[in-house]
Amino acid sequence: MEIIHDITSCKTCIYRTLLFNSLTPEELDSINKSKREIKYRRGEVISRQGQEIKEFMYLKTGLVKLYRTEEGYKDQIISISKPGDFVTLLSIFSGSNYKYSIAAIEETVICAVRIDSFKAVINTNQAFVTDLLGKMSIMYDGIIETKFNITKRHLRGRIAYILLYFAEHLYENNKFDLPISRREIAELIEMTTENVIRILSEFRRDGIIEIDGKNINLVDPDRIKKICQLG
Amino acid sequence: MEIIHDITSCKTCIYRTLLFNSLTPEELDSINKSKREIKYRRGEVISRQGQEIKEFMYLKTGLVKLYRTEEGYKDQIISISKPGDFVTLLSIFSGSNYKYSIAAIEETVICAVRIDSFKAVINTNQAFVTDLLGKMSIMYDGIIETKFNITKRHLRGRIAYILLYFAEHLYENNKFDLPISRREIAELIEMTTENVIRILSEFRRDGIIEIDGKNINLVDPDRIKKICQLG
DNA sequence: CGCGGCTTTGATGTTCATCAAGTAAAGTGG
DNA sequence: CCACTTTACTTGATGAACATCAAAGCCGCG
């Protein structure tokens, strides 16, 4: 990681409207003063499950994964966050320690606000909390829905689902570079690495996708959608 | 369902401290006036996924299940709520319609506050919203953790886990009446009804539980814990 | 009393994880 | 920059775990 010294002011930050729009100039100033920006390299752990939460964080650029770890079990990826997402929101109000680990899966810049400043605004600004409530709820419900969508499917359907997720939700393009390894895909959709590879190869043999290392091209999205629905 | 006419005043309600403690007498009065109590029989659906949310609800007595349904797939039970739980909290801020269905699995009394009155308090009482934020977050994180704990286990481990869940979390007793059918257990821990029965029978043959219809007795809790950890 | 839903058990086959073994790619230190 | 190590990727063979199908008994309820 690397602390960025030439940080953006909140007042000109493109993500300001996402959450901080209801803040008074004074509140925004207080947030601005207690924040820092940090750059993480691909693979670096940003925060670890169980650690004390000291900052509220959100993503400016890059991609991160939220995941759970437990001795003796495989890691499980809870969600993938993209710029503008509030990655610490899932832990920050249910206790003083992280419930999930966070790691960068691409080079990532995080904006981090000291937790005391963040909570101070919560106690003074009504609109802000209410807004937060909605954002948090949507985020949680999204995770539950995605997990539901994954576990109800068979392996072929899961792979189809996650390919469409990357194409439609993350990259908005049928051609993209896989941000995560085969093993991480396995951790995300709850199956083994071998079967991820096997089914991807199968899709390639059937001519519905093209693979070159991390680069994926969904040649026949309609058929992938069909597999997603039926498989 | 049956509307209860002789309803408790919020001022004397034993659940008042759970959420409404920070309310002013006026606010409490407003909530009190716009609420009703409803009794549901075992099996009755309280609200249906997709319906508009008109009331904030919490459980006074009984047990309910939150579940997701989808055409062509088996139902999936998200969680089981007991008295004092805020059953609508999981939908109320992420949209205007229910994300989950709610049904009574025992005779249940629900206290329901009109959504406009509830949201009015949210807009005026800072402490109340902040409190709500925490409660909601804990509830969501609990669901994610439980689901994580279930899906990472094999079938035997899942059954052991859910038996311990009922005994420790819901009934605080090693002897209890199963509140739900075998099929519903299957929907809760993501397996088939047949395998739920099979493994329960297996546990009985091995002498670690006693079963008589819905009545379950955990004879050897230590061994169940061991199965839960290893299986 | 009979119907439908819940429960139970067995037989069967599919899906999937595990094991093994090899190749390719990506870091690492001299 | 190259030898070396490690990690990621790939494929096949095998067996275990699990779902599905089938059939029968049970219970509650109208």
Side-chain angles (χ1 to χ4, degrees):
Chain A
M1 58 174 275
E2 176 198 341
I3 313 274
I4 300 174
H5 294 289
D6 180 23
I7 63 173
T8 331
S9 161
C10 289
K11 285 171 189 161
T12 59
C13 177
I14 53 161
Y15 293 118
R16 178 183 163 190
T17 53
L18 285 178
L19 192 62
F20 297 127
N21 225 16
S22 54
L23 265 51
T24 64
E26 294 76 36
E27 286 167 341
L28 195 63
D29 213 46
S30 136
I31 292 285
N32 197 21
K33 273 180 188 144
S34 71
K35 81 171 211 288
R36 58 186 189 133
E37 285 177 24
I38 316 151
K39 185 192 275 182
Y40 293 92
R41 283 192 312 267
R42 193 181 140 74
E44 272 189 292
V45 175
I46 297 169
S47 68
R48 222 173 282 272
Q49 196 175 313
Q51 270 181 349
E52 194 189 341
I53 303 173
K54 293 183 175 155
E55 290 167 313
F56 167 84
M57 299 193 260
Y58 70 91
L59 226 65
K60 298 197 82 167
T61 62
L63 278 181
V64 305
K65 61 173 179 180
L66 260 80
Y67 60 105
R68 282 195 54 119
T69 52
E70 197 179 329
E71 188 72 24
Y73 294 98
K74 281 189 269 197
D75 287 5
Q76 188 174 343
I77 296 179
I78 304 288
S79 77
I80 292 181
S81 292
K82 56 181 182 178
D85 285 351
F86 309 105
V87 288
T88 53
L89 215 49
L90 295 198
S91 284
I92 220 165
F93 294 109
S94 64
S96 53
N97 299 74
Y98 283 106
K99 286 249 183 297
Y100 314 102
S101 292
I102 304 173
I105 55 181
E106 282 180 4
E107 181 168 292
T108 290
V109 175
I110 290 277
C111 176
V113 180
R114 273 209 320 273
I115 195 73
D116 53 342
S117 309
F118 186 76
K119 293 210 167 170
V121 180
I122 283 177
N123 288 325
T124 54
N125 189 317
Q126 186 78 35
F128 181 68
V129 199
T130 310
D131 196 33
L132 207 57
L133 205 58
K135 293 240 172 18
M136 197 169 86
S137 195
I138 288 170
M139 196 167 166
Y140 272 117
D141 276 333
I143 288 171
I144 292 176
E145 179 162 0
T146 304
K147 283 290 161 192
F148 180 72
N149 281 332
I150 287 169
T151 52
K152 78 183 176 193
R153 288 182 160 82
H154 287 180
L155 299 199
R156 237 162 299 271
R158 292 187 192 178
I159 294 286
Y161 180 86
I162 207 67
L163 287 176
L164 291 171
Y165 173 85
F166 284 136
E168 293 173 358
H169 182 258
L170 224 50
Y171 293 103
E172 297 166 12
N173 196 327
N174 281 332
K175 248 176 128 164
F176 54 87
D177 279 339
L178 270 181
I180 55 179
S181 69
R182 311 290 197 258
R183 183 167 55 81
E184 286 171 314
I185 294 178
E187 288 167 3
L188 181 58
I189 59 182
E190 292 166 59
M191 52 196 279
T192 57
T193 311
E194 291 97 321
N195 280 329
V196 171
I197 291 163
R198 237 183 287 273
I199 291 166
L200 283 175
S201 301
E202 194 185 310
F203 283 4
R204 186 191 47 204
R205 270 196 304 277
D206 294 348
I208 52 184
I209 63 172
E210 285 169 6
I211 315 175
D212 180 23
K214 293 266 188 217
N215 189 267
I216 299 248
N217 182 13
L218 309 189
V219 182
D220 193 345
D222 288 343
R223 241 172 100 199
I224 299 177
K225 278 173 197 155
K226 209 166 275 174
I227 294 169
C228 182
Q229 279 161 26
L230 304 175
Chain B
M1 57 172 278
E2 176 199 340
I3 312 275
I4 300 174
H5 293 291
D6 180 24
I7 64 174
T8 331
S9 162
C10 288
K11 284 171 192 162
T12 59
C13 176
I14 55 162
Y15 293 119
R16 178 183 164 189
T17 52
L18 284 178
L19 191 62
F20 297 127
N21 225 17
S22 53
L23 265 51
T24 64
E26 295 75 35
E27 285 167 342
L28 196 62
D29 213 45
S30 136
I31 292 285
N32 197 20
K33 274 179 188 145
S34 70
K35 82 172 208 288
R36 58 186 189 134
E37 285 178 22
I38 315 154
K39 185 192 274 182
Y40 293 91
R41 284 195 310 268
R42 195 180 139 73
E44 271 189 293
V45 174
I46 297 169
S47 68
R48 220 173 282 273
Q49 194 175 315
Q51 270 180 348
E52 194 189 340
I53 304 173
K54 292 181 176 157
E55 291 167 312
F56 168 84
M57 298 193 261
Y58 70 90
L59 228 63
K60 296 196 84 166
T61 61
L63 277 182
V64 304
K65 61 174 178 179
L66 260 80
Y67 59 106
R68 282 195 55 119
T69 53
E70 198 178 328
E71 188 71 25
Y73 294 98
K74 281 189 267 195
D75 287 4
Q76 188 175 344
I77 297 179
I78 305 288
S79 77
I80 292 181
S81 292
K82 57 180 182 177
D85 285 351
F86 310 106
V87 288
T88 53
L89 214 50
L90 293 201
S91 282
I92 219 166
F93 295 109
S94 66
S96 53
N97 298 76
Y98 283 106
K99 287 249 183 295
Y100 314 101
S101 293
I102 306 173
I105 55 181
E106 283 180 3
E107 181 169 293
T108 291
V109 175
I110 290 278
C111 177
V113 179
R114 274 211 318 276
I115 194 74
D116 54 341
S117 308
F118 186 76
K119 292 211 167 169
V121 180
I122 284 176
N123 288 323
T124 54
N125 189 317
Q126 185 78 36
F128 180 67
V129 199
T130 310
D131 196 34
L132 207 57
L133 205 58
K135 292 240 175 14
M136 195 169 86
S137 194
I138 288 170
M139 195 166 166
Y140 271 117
D141 276 333
I143 288 171
I144 293 175
E145 179 162 0
T146 304
K147 283 289 161 193
F148 181 73
N149 280 332
I150 287 169
T151 52
K152 78 184 177 192
R153 287 180 161 81
H154 287 181
L155 299 199
R156 238 161 299 270
R158 291 186 193 180
I159 293 286
Y161 181 86
I162 206 68
L163 288 176
L164 292 171
Y165 173 84
F166 284 135
E168 293 173 358
H169 182 258
L170 225 49
Y171 293 101
E172 295 166 14
N173 194 328
N174 281 333
K175 245 175 131 166
F176 56 87
D177 278 338
L178 270 181
I180 55 179
S181 70
R182 312 289 198 258
R183 183 168 55 81
E184 285 171 315
I185 295 178
E187 288 168 3
L188 181 58
I189 59 183
E190 292 166 58
M191 52 195 280
T192 57
T193 311
E194 292 95 323
N195 279 331
V196 170
I197 291 163
R198 238 183 285 273
I199 291 166
L200 283 175
S201 302
E202 195 184 310
F203 283 4
R204 186 192 46 204
R205 269 196 304 279
D206 294 349
I208 53 185
I209 63 172
E210 284 168 5
I211 316 176
D212 179 23
K214 293 268 186 217
N215 189 267
I216 299 247
N217 183 12
L218 309 189
V219 182
D220 194 345
D222 288 343
R223 241 171 102 198
I224 300 177
K225 277 174 197 155
K226 211 167 273 175
I227 294 169
C228 181
Q229 278 161 26
L230 303 176

Coordinates of all heavy atoms in Angstrom, one line a residue, chain A residues 7 11 33 97 132 145 188 195:
Chain A
I7 N -4.2 14.4 -2.4 CA -5.5 13.9 -2.4 C -6.5 14.9 -2.9 O -6.4 16.1 -2.8 CB -6.0 13.4 -1.0 CG1 -6.0 14.5 0.0 CG2 -5.1 12.3 -0.6 CD1 -6.6 14.1 1.3
K11 N -14.9 18.3 -2.0 CA -15.8 19.2 -2.7 C -15.8 19.0 -4.2 O -16.7 19.3 -4.9 CB -15.4 20.7 -2.4 CG -15.8 21.1 -1.0 CD -15.2 22.4 -0.6 CE -15.5 22.7 0.9 NZ -14.6 23.7 1.4
K33 N -11.2 16.8 6.2 CA -9.9 16.9 7.0 C -9.5 15.6 7.6 O -8.3 15.4 7.9 CB -10.2 17.9 8.1 CG -9.9 19.3 7.7 CD -10.1 20.3 8.8 CE -10.0 21.7 8.3 NZ -11.0 22.6 9.0
N97 N -15.6 -4.5 15.0 CA -14.6 -5.2 14.2 C -15.1 -5.7 12.9 O -16.3 -5.9 12.7 CB -14.1 -6.4 15.0 CG -13.4 -6.0 16.3 OD1 -14.1 -5.6 17.2 ND2 -12.1 -6.1 16.4
L132 N -28.1 6.7 4.3 CA -27.2 5.5 4.6 C -27.9 4.3 4.8 O -27.5 3.2 4.4 CB -26.4 5.9 5.9 CG -25.0 5.3 6.0 CD1 -24.1 5.6 4.8 CD2 -24.4 5.7 7.3
E145 N -29.5 -11.7 -2.4 CA -30.1 -12.2 -3.7 C -29.1 -12.9 -4.6 O -29.4 -13.9 -5.1 CB -30.7 -11.0 -4.4 CG -31.3 -11.4 -5.7 CD -32.3 -10.4 -6.3 OE1 -32.5 -9.3 -5.7 OE2 -32.9 -10.7 -7.4
L188 N -16.2 -17.7 -5.1 CA -17.3 -16.8 -5.3 C -18.6 -17.6 -5.5 O -19.7 -17.2 -5.1 CB -17.0 -15.8 -6.4 CG -18.1 -14.7 -6.8 CD1 -18.4 -13.8 -5.6 CD2 -17.6 -13.9 -8.0
N195 N -13.5 -27.7 -11.3 CA -14.8 -27.7 -12.0 C -15.0 -26.3 -12.7 O -15.7 -26.3 -13.8 CB -15.9 -28.0 -11.1 CG -16.1 -29.5 -10.9 OD1 -15.7 -30.3 -11.8 ND2 -16.5 -29.9 -9.7

